[in-house]
């Protein structure tokens, strides 16, 4: 009984809905029937009755409108066809870009995986040295991290075998004799090298291919003492271009045994000398003279803050053996570390005559130094016929 009563109530609710649906259906059928009759009259056997009621002018006007409409439809179809063609082309281009992007992401992912695998199968000491190392007190707001990451040159990851060889030693024991390996890695861009937990040998045999480099009583004794008004500048004449006491600290790039720094110290100017031990123990000699050596290559960003140094000097090292793009980065880095009004002494920069005005003069102009002294002369020890030139220049970083 309960189910029957419920069904009766439900059917009563549906009755108005059914009536409305039937009424709507009748209305639709009436509209369709009316449209069919109209089409039959206009296009069927009785169409002459309709058209005969129209005058010639009305027929012509209607024909023109129909033609115009037909032309517009044709133009619209043409435009839609063109848009459809462009859309298909765009879809193909997007698909190609997505495929290319996916391939690049896969390559990067594979490369990263290979690096991780290589490091894992490398020496445990290398993995331990690279870290990262968790901070003992957790996250530090000052650092913005809970870990310390060791700054190792990105190129180190490309030389896994040599890097693992460099890190192969007995912890707490004596480091292997691998100065040549270490500097080879540095010159390849693996700089700075990771730290090691071993003791360097106290007495290391050196290579002395550099002639007279360590004869401090020979050619080194007279360097930068005299100014010949040409390529050879004197220190006193360079310092005289600035007010007394304003040149206090600087850098000598590739300073050999530190003679330039020694001359400047006699005039109360502190010079840090960057050098490698490629031909002998240059860093050791510099330190033995009571001067400050810095063991970095020309590829590394100078470890000084912006606008801090009064003078930067370089003799022979900055020359055309350095790739142009790298050299320009180095020169911009010199500009960066100099304070406004600081001096850049480019000492005996050598290049071919064809490179002077085509490459190096425009490069130095782009950096933005002001020229205080500028001299160009022939590099005689290379032979006049080779057209190798020296440039000696004293330049200033603008005050503004």
């Amino acid at each position: 009984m309960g189910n029957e009563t419920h069904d009766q109530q439900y059917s009563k609710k549906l009755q108005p809905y059914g009536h409305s649906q039937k009424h709507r259906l009748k209305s639709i059928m009436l509209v369709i029937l009316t449209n069919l009759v109209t089409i039959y009259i206009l296009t069927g056997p009785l169409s002459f009755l309709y058209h005969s009621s129209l005058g010639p002018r009305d027929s012509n006007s209607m024909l023109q409108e129909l033609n115009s409409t037909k032309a517009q439809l044709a133009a619209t179809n043409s435009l839609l066809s063109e848009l459809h063609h462009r859309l298909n082309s765009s879809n193909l281009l997007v698909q190609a870009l997505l495929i290319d992007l996916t391939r690049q992401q896969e390559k990067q992912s594979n490369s990263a995986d290979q690096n991780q695998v290589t490091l894992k199968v490398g020496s445990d000491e290398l993995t331990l040295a690279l870290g990262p190392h968790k901070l003992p007190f957790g996250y530090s707001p000052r650092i913005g991290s809970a870990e310390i990451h060791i700054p190792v040159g990105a190129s180190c990851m490309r030389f896994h075998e040599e890097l693992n060889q460099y890190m192969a030693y007995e912890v707490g024991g004596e480091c292997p004799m691998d100065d040549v390996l270490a500097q080879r890695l540095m010159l390849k861009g693996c700089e700075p090298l990771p730290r090691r937990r071993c003791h360097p040998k106290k007495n290391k045999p050196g290579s002395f291919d550099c002639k007279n480099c360590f004869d401090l009583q020979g050619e080194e004794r007279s360097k930068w003492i005299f100014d010949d008004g040409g390529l050879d500048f004197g220190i006193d004449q360079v310092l005289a271009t600035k007010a007394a006491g304003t040149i206090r600290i600087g850098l000598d790039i590739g300073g050999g045994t530190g003679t330039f720094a020694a001359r400047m110290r006699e005039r109360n100017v502190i010079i840090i000398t960057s050098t490698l031990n490629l031909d002998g123990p240059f860093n050791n000699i510099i330190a033995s003279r009571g001067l400050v050596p810095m063991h970095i290559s020309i590829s590394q960003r100078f470890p000084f803050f912006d606008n801090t140094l009064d003078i930067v000097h370089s003799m022979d090292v900055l020359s055309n053996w350095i790739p142009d793009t790298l050299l320009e980065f180095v020169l911009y880095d010199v500009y960066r570390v100099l304070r406004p009004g600081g001096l850049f002494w480019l000492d005996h920069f050598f290049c071919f005559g064809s490179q002077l005005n085509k490459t190096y003069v425009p490069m130095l102009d782009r950096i933005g130094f002001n020229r205080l002294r500028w001299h160009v002369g022939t590099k005689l020890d290379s032979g006049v016929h080779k057209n190798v030139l020296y440039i000696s220049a004293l330049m200033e970083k603008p005050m503004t």
Side-chain angles (χ1 to χ4, degrees), residues 82-116:
E82 183 181 354
L83 290 174
H84 183 69
H85 177 71
R86 290 183 179 181
L87 183 61
N88 287 337
S89 300
S90 299
N91 286 336
L92 292 174
L93 179 60
V94 170
Q95 289 176 3
L97 290 173
L98 288 174
I99 292 171
D100 187 51
L101 180 62
T102 302
R103 288 176 179 172
Q104 289 182 1
Q105 289 176 343
E106 289 176 353
K107 286 181 181 179
Q108 291 177 356
S109 177
N110 292 336
S111 177
D113 293 341
Q114 289 175 1
N115 287 340
Q116 291 177 0

Side-chain angles (χ1 to χ4, degrees), residues 197-267:
R197 297 187 294 174
C198 58
H199 302 119
K201 291 183 181 293
K202 295 180 180 180
N203 297 314
K204 297 184 179 182
S207 170
F208 300 97
D209 293 335
C210 180
K211 297 178 180 179
N212 303 320
C213 285
F214 302 99
D215 184 7
L216 302 184
Q217 300 302 317
E219 292 182 6
E220 294 285 303
R221 186 176 184 180
S222 60
K223 278 186 175 179
W224 303 291
I225 297 296
F226 305 104
D227 191 316
D228 65 0
L231 292 170
D232 295 327
F233 297 176
I235 284 180
D236 292 327
Q237 287 72 22
V238 169
L239 294 179
T241 62
K242 292 292 179 179
T246 57
I247 304 296
R248 298 149 296 183
I249 188 169
L251 169 68
D252 187 18
I253 303 171
T257 57
T259 299
F260 180 82
R263 295 280 177 271
M264 293 293 270
R265 183 176 61 179
E266 295 168 358
R267 293 154 178 82

Side-chain angles (χ1 to χ4, degrees), residues 7-20:
D7 292 339
Q8 290 174 359
Q9 292 176 352
Y10 186 74
S11 62
K12 287 180 181 180
K13 290 180 180 179
L14 290 176
Q15 284 177 1
Y17 179 79
H19 287 305
S20 63

Side-chain angles (χ1 to χ4, degrees), residues 213-396:
C213 285
F214 302 99
D215 184 7
L216 302 184
Q217 300 302 317
E219 292 182 6
E220 294 285 303
R221 186 176 184 180
S222 60
K223 278 186 175 179
W224 303 291
I225 297 296
F226 305 104
D227 191 316
D228 65 0
L231 292 170
D232 295 327
F233 297 176
I235 284 180
D236 292 327
Q237 287 72 22
V238 169
L239 294 179
T241 62
K242 292 292 179 179
T246 57
I247 304 296
R248 298 149 296 183
I249 188 169
L251 169 68
D252 187 18
I253 303 171
T257 57
T259 299
F260 180 82
R263 295 280 177 271
M264 293 293 270
R265 183 176 61 179
E266 295 168 358
R267 293 154 178 82
N268 296 319
V269 180
I270 298 172
I271 296 293
I272 298 168
T273 305
S274 72
T275 188
L276 295 176
N277 280 21
L278 290 177
D279 295 320
F282 289 98
N283 282 271
N284 308 74
I285 294 295
I286 293 169
S288 69
R289 301 177 75 177
L291 305 169
V292 183
M294 188 163 59
H295 188 239
I296 62 171
S297 74
I298 197 63
S299 302
Q300 185 171 335
R301 185 177 189 264
F302 298 131
F304 304 103
F305 198 69
D306 303 354
N307 306 311
T308 53
L309 301 182
D310 300 316
I311 187 169
V312 174
H313 172 264
S314 178
M315 182 174 185
D316 292 336
V317 174
L318 297 184
S319 291
N320 69 347
W321 70 271
I322 301 176
D324 293 347
T325 302
L326 174 58
L327 179 62
E328 187 164 353
F329 273 101
V330 174
L331 293 175
Y332 268 105
D333 208 27
V334 170
Y335 188 95
R336 177 185 65 82
V337 300
L338 281 172
R339 63 167 175 79
L343 297 176
F344 177 36
W345 182 350
L346 187 61
D347 198 349
H348 287 77
F349 177 102
F350 57 85
C351 65
F352 293 110
S354 58
Q355 296 176 306
L356 179 61
N357 293 316
K358 183 179 179 180
T359 302
Y360 297 116
V361 171
M363 184 185 295
L364 289 167
D365 289 342
R366 282 197 302 274
I367 308 300
F369 290 110
N370 297 326
R371 296 184 191 178
L372 302 183
R373 293 181 64 175
W374 181 275
H375 294 275
V376 178
T378 302
K379 191 174 186 294
L380 298 176
D381 57 353
S382 296
V384 178
H385 63 283
K386 292 185 178 181
N387 193 25
V388 179
L389 301 179
Y390 270 134
I391 305 171
S392 285
L394 182 64
M395 294 171 280
E396 177 189 53

Side-chain angles (χ1 to χ4, degrees), residues 175-191:
C175 297
M177 289 286 296
D178 55 5
D179 287 1
V180 174
L181 172 64
Q183 291 182 122
R184 185 184 298 151
L185 281 167
M186 290 174 64
L187 291 172
K188 288 180 179 179
C190 183
E191 185 180 20

